[in-house]
């Protein structure tokens, strides 16, 4: 009796040619979207619970649903190297990794230039360099490792930039006026959901308030 075939979970299943040091490095780069999602946004919700960060994450999730819808509709095959990667049963246009990273990069850039974030900095270019560098490396890694064609990663990156900019406009031009309502809702009060995008330097604000609260507590105990 023939045993049923098996398939790996592709979330973290990235293959590279044995002995290829550049391929090994790029395989880890391909996992950056996973690190951002699990290490970044999950920890952000646990420790920060900012509405801007939550809608940022929601936009990325919506973007991935859009990507899957387009892939299913177009059904463009991956390059021939997919046979070596056990990926020929999935579609390649547009690249979801490229779309994710370029959505992240453009949204992060727009947040930075609007002054939304934990800290205030005059050197905005230095802040946005890393997400764009990671986006370009991710796009290159998907072609180098054989998961996508150049056209597929370019389509993913273009779609990611478009959706990221569109979602940023929706959040900060349409939904932003409802942030106070969300903060005062049952959910907002129960889970301490907040919006600090109106504060220029959140880290300094929290630092000074924490010191002030500690000094007041010390004064009461004396």
């Amino acid at each position: 009796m023939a045993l049923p075939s098996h398939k790996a979970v592709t979330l973290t299943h990235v293959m590279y040619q044995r002995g290829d040091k550049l391929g090994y490095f790029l395989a880890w780069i391909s996992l950056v979207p996973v690190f951002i999602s699990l290490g970044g946004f999950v920890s952000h919700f646990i420790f920060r619970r900012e509405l801007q960060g939550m809608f940022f994450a929601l936009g990325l999730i919506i973007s991935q649903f859009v990507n899957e819808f387009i892939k299913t509709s177009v059904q463009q095959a991956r390059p021939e190297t997919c046979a070596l990667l056990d990926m020929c049963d999935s579609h390649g246009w547009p690249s979801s990794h490229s779309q994710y990273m370029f959505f992240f990069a453009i949204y992060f850039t727009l947040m930075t230039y609007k002054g939304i974030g934990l800290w205030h900095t005059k050197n905005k270019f230095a802040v946005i360099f890393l997400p764009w560098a990671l986006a370009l490396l991710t796009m290159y890694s998907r072609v180098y490792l054989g998961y996508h064609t150049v056209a597929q990663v370019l389509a993913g990156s273009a779609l990611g930039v478009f959706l990221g900019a569109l979602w940023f406009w929706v959040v900060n031009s349409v939904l932003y006026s409802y942030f106070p309502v969300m903060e005062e809702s049952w959910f907002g009060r129960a889970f301490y959901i907040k919006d600090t995008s109106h504060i220029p330097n959140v880290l300094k604000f929290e630092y000074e308030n924490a010191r002030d609260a500690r000094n007041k507590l010390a004064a009461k105990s004396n």
Side-chain angles (χ1 to χ4, degrees), residues 64-82:
Q64 292 306 293
F65 276 109
V66 172
N67 178 275
E68 192 61 33
F69 174 77
I70 295 174
K71 276 184 176 178
T72 305
S73 301
V74 176
Q75 297 187 358
Q76 186 181 105
R78 293 179 183 269
E80 294 180 358
T81 47
C82 68

Side-chain angles (χ1 to χ4, degrees), residues 21-196:
K21 293 182 179 180
L22 177 59
Y24 177 74
F25 168 73
L26 293 175
W28 281 103
I29 290 293
S30 282
L31 296 177
V32 168
V34 179
F35 298 147
I36 291 175
S37 298
L38 300 181
F41 286 112
V42 172
S43 61
H44 177 276
F45 179 78
I46 294 172
F47 296 108
R48 301 290 316 169
R49 306 185 191 186
E50 296 271 359
L51 281 168
Q52 284 285 352
M54 292 169 67
F55 275 101
F56 192 170
L58 178 61
L60 283 164
I61 294 171
I62 294 172
S63 173
Q64 292 306 293
F65 276 109
V66 172
N67 178 275
E68 192 61 33
F69 174 77
I70 295 174
K71 276 184 176 178
T72 305
S73 301
V74 176
Q75 297 187 358
Q76 186 181 105
R78 293 179 183 269
E80 294 180 358
T81 47
C82 68
L84 298 173
L85 305 169
D86 192 26
M87 292 289 291
C88 292
D89 59 342
S90 62
H91 305 116
W93 193 95
S95 165
S96 59
H97 282 70
S98 295
Q99 183 175 323
Y100 184 104
M101 288 306 301
F102 277 85
F103 184 110
F104 181 88
I106 190 64
Y107 199 100
F108 187 87
T109 298
L110 293 171
M111 285 183 65
T112 301
Y113 273 90
K114 193 174 179 181
I116 302 172
L118 292 178
W119 60 86
H120 177 72
T121 178
K122 294 181 179 179
N123 192 359
K124 292 182 170 61
F125 177 79
V127 176
I128 66 174
F129 173 77
L130 181 60
W132 284 105
L134 288 173
L136 290 169
L137 280 171
T138 301
M139 182 174 67
Y140 176 70
S141 74
R142 302 308 287 173
V143 176
Y144 183 90
L145 296 172
Y147 286 90
H148 291 286
T149 64
V150 173
Q152 289 170 352
V153 296
L154 289 177
S157 61
L159 185 58
V161 169
F162 171 74
L163 291 176
L166 177 62
W167 184 246
F168 182 85
W169 178 83
V170 169
V171 171
N172 291 280
S173 297
V174 180
L175 300 177
Y176 183 77
S177 60
Y178 297 98
F179 277 15
V181 177
M182 297 176 193
E183 285 182 309
E184 296 301 322
S185 67
W186 173 88
F187 179 82
R189 286 178 169 273
F191 292 95
Y192 306 112
I193 305 300
K194 63 184 181 294
D195 171 43
T196 59

